[in-house]
């Protein structure tokens, strides 16, 4: 396969790198990477050891001591070059994302586009790391705040966005003057190795120090724990399940480290009687089955007004019937496989539970077998009539299951249902009624980090701050002023006069 070669993926790969240097540990466990698209073996990755981790962190910390003094726009220039390299490698990298993770090739390329976009954003940002200037109450005094880099930023990513989420964090963290230490999901290590190889050209060309962009592929129970406990890593940005996030937050907060947590979502779309169904139906379908329901922003609940419930249900069934499921590398397919067999098991288990609780599967839910499905990871996305209080509906099942929930009366009833879960990532309303839209966006409206009108729950642009409330973790990454989390704020008061007045008018004369 040419794209593997182009990306520097070998039959045997190592798990730790500080840039150009790879650590050659072979005795700390092996990952055999299998493609969910066809069940074929792709390559081997030797996981790194705890002692590798310590060395990598040491090198990354030393790199930080220099990198923080490079003017931010010059750091931006490096990220500009990274963006340029990603443009060159968009085709093979997008293909690898699709092959290793299983999302459609369009989405694979879209993911690389997100990386390119965030690099562009970070380049501009490198000239805009602004603080405020405040008016002092004292004569001949000036107060301002400024932002300083933190140190090593640990980036722990999930399998579903094996490259984009790293880029959101690392492009911003790097222009802010930090070094990056990436621990990718063990389900998609090759994507991370490919990115590390793409970075190597930029590192070489600019003679950058080892440790600016580092990678550790290792066991969560050893290498992961080491990182969580490491005082040299002042900030950890973690994308994953709520239970992993809770565990990480407990450890990191004990050492007063900072976190950006992007955890589970249980995202809903509300469809009101005035909604334009020409928009609402495709947005719902993309939200529910895109990435085979494995985005943290995937649409899991559809809250429909009773007046239009039947119409929406029938339109959805029709749309689901037209979905092409199969090899995600084939452009005509909309839906690829789930990441692995255990995800298929979760899918089936969730459907079993919803039926037990009184739900009705009205479409799909089968595991697909037959010649055209080259692995055991293909499923038919399911539509289920359910109620919001069912325990399984309250959970995030990382699979294409869409729960249809009826509401009646006013939009406030729908908002109440939408908010009645522990997660708070993304939400949408489809309405042509201004009052309903504004009610949804008001203080008493959606309690999520993302609230959209007439577009779906997934597919956010990089320009906005990305993240959610409640058990989603409260972090914000990517655009807007998320960069502030990657820096430490300092307030500076400068006396340029010849007296020493105290604030609050206090007199202290000696
Ligand atoms: C994720 O699923 O972890 O908004 C991130 C979206 C994408 C990112 C999803 N831009 O769906």
């Amino acid at each position: 396969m040419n794209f593997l070669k182009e990306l520097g993926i070998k039959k045997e790969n190592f798990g730790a790198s500080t840039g150009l240097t790879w650590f050659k540990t072979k005795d700390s466990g092996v990952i055999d990477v299998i493609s969910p698209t066809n069940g074929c073996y792709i390559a081997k990755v030797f996981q790194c050891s705890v002692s590798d981790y310590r060395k990598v962190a040491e090198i990354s910390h030393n790199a930080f001591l220099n990198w923080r003094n490079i003017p931010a726009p010059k750091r931006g220039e490096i990220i500009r070059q990274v963006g340029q390299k990603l443009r060159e490698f968009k085709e093979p990298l997008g293909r690898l994302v699709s092959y290793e993770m299983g999302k459609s090739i369009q989405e694979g390329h879209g993911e690389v586009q997100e990386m390119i976009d965030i690099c562009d954003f970070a380049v501009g940002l490198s000239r805009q790391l602004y603080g405020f200037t405040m008016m002092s109450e004292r004569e001949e005094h000036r107060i301002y705040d400024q932002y300083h880099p933190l140190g090593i930023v640990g980036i722990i990513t999930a399998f579903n966005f094996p490259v984009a989420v790293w880029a959101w964090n690392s492009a911003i963290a790097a222009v802010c003057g930090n070094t990056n230490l990436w621990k990718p999901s063990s389900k998609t290590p090759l994507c991370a190795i490919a990115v590390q190889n793409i970075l190597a050209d930029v590192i070489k060309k600019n003679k950058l120090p080892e440790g600016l962009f580092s990678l550790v592929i290792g066991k969560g129970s050893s290498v992961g724990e080491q990182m969580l406990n490491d005082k040299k890593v002042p900030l950890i940005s973690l994308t994953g399940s709520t239970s992993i996030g809770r565990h990480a937050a407990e450890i990191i907060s004990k050492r007063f480290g900072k976190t950006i947590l992007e955890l589970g979502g249980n995202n809903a779309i509300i469809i009101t009687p005035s909604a334009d169904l020409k928009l609402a139906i495709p947005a719902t379908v993309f939200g529910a089955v895109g990435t085979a329901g494995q985005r943290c922003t995937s649409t899991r609940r559809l809250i429909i007004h009773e007046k239009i419930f039947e119409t929406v249900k029938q339109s959805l069934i029709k749309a689901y019937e037209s979905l092409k499921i199969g090899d995600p590398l084939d452009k005509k397919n909309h839906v690829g496989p789930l990441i692995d067999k255990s995800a298929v098991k979760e899918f089936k288990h969730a459907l079993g539970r919803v039926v037990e609780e009184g739900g009705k599967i009205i479409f799909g839910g089968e595991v697909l077998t037959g010649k055209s499905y080259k692995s055991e990871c293909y499923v038919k996305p399911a539509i289920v009539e359910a109620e919001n209080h069912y325990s399984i509906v309250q959970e995030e099942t990382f699979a294409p299951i869409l729960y249809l929930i009826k509401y009646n009366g006013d939009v406030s009833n729908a908002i109440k249902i939408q908010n009645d879960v522990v997660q708070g990532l993304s939400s949408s309303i489809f309405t042509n009624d201004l009052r309903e839209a504004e009610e949804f966006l008001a203080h008493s409206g959606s309690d999520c980090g993302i609230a959209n009108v007439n577009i779906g729950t997934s597919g956010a642009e990089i320009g906005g701050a990305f993240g959610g409330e409640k058990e989603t973790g409260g972090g914000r990454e990517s655009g807007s002023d998320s960069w502030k989390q990657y820096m430490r704020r300092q307030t500076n008061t400068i006396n340029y006069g010849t007296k020493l007045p105290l604030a609050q008018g206090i007199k202290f004369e000696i």
Side-chain angles (χ1 to χ4, degrees):
M1 286 194 180
N2 273 346
F3 66 93
L4 294 177
K5 205 188 250 172
E6 238 179 292
L7 295 166
I9 304 296
K10 306 196 185 84
K11 276 198 185 124
E12 296 191 340
N13 304 274
F14 291 103
S17 162
T18 49
L20 303 179
T21 306
W22 289 84
F23 291 60
K24 302 273 167 34
T25 298
K26 277 193 163 181
D27 59 0
S28 287
V30 171
I31 305 170
D32 285 313
V33 186
I34 310 283
S35 169
T37 70
N38 57 10
C40 291
Y41 173 85
I42 316 177
K44 196 183 279 309
V45 179
F46 294 110
Q47 288 172 299
C48 76
S49 64
V50 168
S51 108
D52 290 338
Y53 169 84
R54 289 204 191 107
K55 281 182 216 143
V56 170
E58 183 74 41
I59 293 167
S60 184
H61 178 72
N62 289 338
F64 164 69
L65 301 179
N66 291 321
W67 183 245
R68 65 180 171 182
N69 295 325
I70 309 279
K74 291 211 165 110
R75 300 193 293 249
E77 165 55 20
I78 300 299
I79 297 303
R80 191 190 64 75
Q81 293 180 35
V82 171
Q84 197 51 37
K85 276 281 152 218
L86 288 167
R87 282 178 171 86
E88 281 170 37
F89 284 90
K90 180 172 172 181
E91 169 31 48
L93 186 58
R95 193 163 284 275
L96 176 62
V97 168
S98 177
Y99 192 51
E100 187 181 30
M101 184 274 157
K103 64 175 69 175
S104 75
I105 182 85
Q106 289 95 330
E107 291 185 57
H109 286 139
E111 191 170 340
V112 183
Q113 188 58 46
E114 273 197 53
M115 301 175 86
I116 295 167
D117 293 342
I118 197 71
C119 285
D120 287 354
F121 181 94
V123 177
L125 181 67
S126 70
R127 291 182 183 268
Q128 301 176 80
L129 302 169
Y130 305 137
F132 285 123
T133 302
M134 280 70 70
M135 293 296 157
S136 172
E137 65 189 57
R138 288 173 277 188
E139 268 174 35
E140 299 180 313
H141 278 57
R142 186 163 73 84
I143 308 176
Y144 72 106
D145 53 28
Q146 58 169 334
Y147 290 85
H148 294 302
L150 289 171
I152 302 175
V153 173
I155 305 169
I156 301 178
T157 56
F159 75 86
N160 63 333
F161 273 80
V163 291
V165 172
W166 168 81
W168 295 352
N169 284 282
S170 66
I172 305 284
V175 298
C176 289
N178 305 294
T179 56
N180 292 293
L181 179 42
W182 184 11
K183 184 181 179 306
S185 162
S186 298
K187 294 181 180 181
T188 49
L190 300 178
C191 284
I193 292 170
V195 169
Q196 193 73 2
N197 289 338
I198 291 170
L199 292 170
D201 281 352
V202 179
I203 293 169
K204 227 184 277 170
K205 189 166 160 224
N206 295 279
K207 300 192 175 63
L208 296 172
E210 289 288 324
L212 192 50
F213 296 104
S214 300
L215 175 66
V216 285
I217 298 166
K219 292 191 182 121
S221 56
S222 54
V223 173
E225 290 298 306
Q226 194 70 30
M227 188 194 258
L228 299 181
N229 281 290
D230 192 347
K231 285 197 176 139
K232 275 208 195 76
V233 183
L235 168 67
I236 292 190
S237 173
L238 181 147
T239 303
S241 67
T242 295
S243 64
I244 292 177
R246 184 174 281 123
H247 169 73
E250 279 170 11
I251 296 178
I252 299 165
S253 69
K254 249 188 215 146
R255 62 174 172 90
F256 296 102
K258 297 206 259 174
T259 51
I260 297 176
L261 299 172
E262 300 296 353
L263 312 176
N266 194 349
N267 318 297
I269 294 181
I270 296 171
I271 307 191
T272 76
S274 72
D276 183 344
L277 295 187
K278 283 195 305 302
L279 308 182
I281 300 296
T284 302
V285 179
F286 178 73
V289 312
T291 326
Q294 299 168 111
R295 289 192 188 211
C296 51
T297 51
S298 290
T299 308
R300 311 214 174 275
R301 297 175 296 141
L302 195 62
I303 304 164
I304 313 159
H305 196 275
E306 61 179 353
K307 266 196 219 156
I308 52 165
F309 188 86
E310 271 311 308
T311 316
V312 170
K313 180 171 134 184
Q314 293 313 326
S315 309
L316 275 176
I317 291 175
K318 219 166 130 204
Y320 268 57
E321 274 164 353
S322 71
L323 286 175
K324 294 193 181 73
I325 306 160
D327 183 359
L329 291 157
D330 182 343
K331 265 202 184 118
K332 72 170 192 317
N333 288 327
H334 302 103
V335 185
L338 290 174
I339 182 69
D340 54 21
K341 282 191 244 168
S342 77
V344 174
K345 222 163 119 191
E346 293 281 319
F347 172 76
K348 288 198 327 209
H349 182 68
L351 290 172
R353 270 180 63 191
V354 74
V355 169
E356 253 170 47
E357 291 192 72
K360 200 164 114 201
I361 301 175
I362 57 170
F363 187 89
E366 304 90 4
V367 177
L368 296 168
T369 50
K371 261 215 310 281
S372 47
Y373 305 108
K374 298 207 168 71
S375 79
E376 292 164 66
C377 301
Y378 290 88
V379 300
K380 199 171 209 182
I383 308 177
V384 182
E385 280 186 48
E387 288 182 33
N388 199 61
H389 62 83
Y390 294 172
S391 65
I392 188 66
V393 175
Q394 293 281 315
E395 289 173 24
E396 178 192 49
T397 304
F398 230 47
I401 302 174
L402 180 66
Y403 299 116
L404 307 191
I405 298 160
K406 212 179 269 177
Y407 82 94
N408 50 35
D410 201 65
V411 73
S412 59
N413 295 331
I415 295 171
K416 210 163 149 217
I417 296 171
Q418 122 82 30
N419 289 344
D420 194 12
V421 288
V422 291
Q423 308 86 347
L425 180 55
S426 187
S427 58
S428 306
I429 190 167
F430 279 79
T431 179
N432 276 338
D433 182 323
L434 178 73
R435 283 187 179 157
E436 286 181 337
E438 290 293 338
E439 194 171 330
F440 179 71
L441 301 176
H443 299 325
S444 52
S446 164
D447 62 5
C448 292
I450 298 170
N452 297 331
V453 176
N454 292 338
I455 68 157
T457 57
S458 67
E461 299 177 22
I462 58 95
F466 184 88
E469 301 300 326
K470 305 195 292 191
E471 291 197 3
T472 303
R476 291 296 184 278
E477 51 195 6
S478 199
S480 187
D481 66 350
S482 307
W483 63 270
K484 289 184 178 168
Q485 293 173 99
Y486 298 83
M487 303 197 85
R488 62 184 169 87
R489 179 194 288 236
Q490 187 173 67
T491 304
N492 306 117
T493 307
I494 297 151
N495 175 1
Y496 58 92
T498 53
K499 296 187 194 108
L500 191 70
L502 298 178
Q504 298 89 42
I506 293 172
K507 295 273 173 269
F508 185 80
E509 274 151 25
I510 46 172

